[in-house]
Amino acid sequence: MEDKMGSECEGPEMSLVCLTDFQEHAREHLSKSTRDFIEGGADDSVTRDENIAAFKRIRLRPRYLRDVSEVDTRTTIQGEEISAPICIAPTGFHCLVWPDGEMSTARAAQAAGICYITSTFASCSLEDIVIAAPEGLRWFQLYVHPDLQLNKQLIQRVESLGFKALVITLDAPVCGNRRHDIRNQLRKNLTLTDLQSPKKGNSIPYFQMTPISTSLCWNDLSWFQSITRLPIILKGILTKEDAELAVKHKVQGIIVSNHGGRQLDEVLASIDALTEVVAAVKGKIEVYLDGGVRTGNDVLKALALGARCIFLGRPILWGLAYKGEHGVKEVLNILTNEFHTSMALTGCKKKRPITRLLRLPTGGSQTHSTVCDAVLPGPHPVWRLMPHISHISNPSTPVLQALQSPVFPKCSIPFFVSLTIIFCFLA
């Protein structure tokens, strides 16, 4: 009788209805070393946690009585249409969480009609990934190897396989101090399939080589441009100075990213760095974001600050750990549906004039959260939104950065800067 009652109390398996449900499931079902590999950040994991917390400091300012009967989530990246501005970031070793690894991930991305950035550290071969999802939109992420010939061979290979862009990761000239991986000694058991010397065999241990160049510089980008026709996207930019250099060196895109908090700890959250980068490029190249996105509201906020789309990292691995390809599909569907709802509930629709709003503090050191419900005319929606700003007496806060973003006409900047300085002296 007791066993029967216990069985009845347990009931059917609970549905997973948000991305954090998938995270909890992964925590319960993955081994400790794999779980730590996915969840771990560098050092004290300050940036990893701040990536999520920073989104929650932004508040939405919805507008109503607007026709949202037809909400269109489609957009384009590098000229290719995707079903929603929600794509898959490069993460390595998917076979740690599901037997088919990156092949399942690629199939899910193809089914969803979005872009999947395949990592240099994929645990499946590039050929197998392409065979698994031949119609999918794929970009390739490159960790630049010291051997230029190896880089050239790999780039030509991905180009011949139909990958549509080359994503060069900048923020990992050395590996971040990931304490959990060091304690678990995980990396000595990982092998690479595609990052190999032409003189060596098919698979090599992750740490029996120096896989990432420590000497890569801006001037080296011209060499990559000379050997490929693929658009080049730079991943890991967090400052306006580097964003301006990216434009100067004629790359086609930037992914604002801090590597999920896994490289240099205590840097800006990706969403906090986005405004600065978007302002610096002045619309000349596309800007994307990864890090900390967990809800449809987060996607909306990133787009409002100027991102063309977002890329998901850890949540994809949680979905993969749940049900492989079908788990990744569920993660993408949930986030896309949440984003659709966020659009509708904030009154966002395409082909509507842009609205510019700014609410400055009325007293004290805090300001109300400020949002622009802005959608530019065009085939797909574009938003602009200002972040929550606190402690304006500190000149390093986002206030001055925000005033210089494309949200505001240039003629209004001196007025707002003067007003901000006055508040600083009064505070």
Side-chain angles (χ1 to χ4, degrees), residues 340-374:
H340 187 283
T341 300
S342 298
M343 287 179 63
L345 291 178
T346 52
C348 286
K349 58 183 292 188
K350 59 184 179 179
K351 295 183 180 179
R352 182 162 53 79
I354 188 168
T355 302
R356 288 170 177 160
L357 299 175
L358 174 68
R359 183 176 300 163
L360 290 174
T362 55
S365 62
Q366 299 284 329
T367 182
H368 296 290
S369 303
T370 308
V371 172
C372 295
D373 60 327

Side-chain angles (χ1 to χ4, degrees), residues 10-66:
E10 288 177 8
E13 183 180 352
M14 183 177 293
S15 305
L16 306 187
V17 300
C18 62
L19 269 55
T20 52
D21 286 347
F22 287 86
Q23 181 180 24
E24 289 302 317
H25 181 275
R27 283 174 175 169
E28 293 172 4
H29 290 83
L30 293 175
S31 69
K32 181 181 184 301
S33 61
T34 299
R35 184 172 66 245
D36 288 347
F37 176 67
I38 294 171
E39 297 297 324
D43 295 311
D44 293 322
S45 297
V46 172
T47 296
R48 180 201 64 182
D49 297 339
E50 182 66 9
N51 272 346
I52 297 172
F55 272 104
K56 305 314 172 191
R57 290 194 291 270
I58 302 171
R59 294 293 176 265
L60 299 173
R61 187 175 180 274
R63 298 298 306 277
Y64 298 122
L65 290 179
R66 290 178 171 175

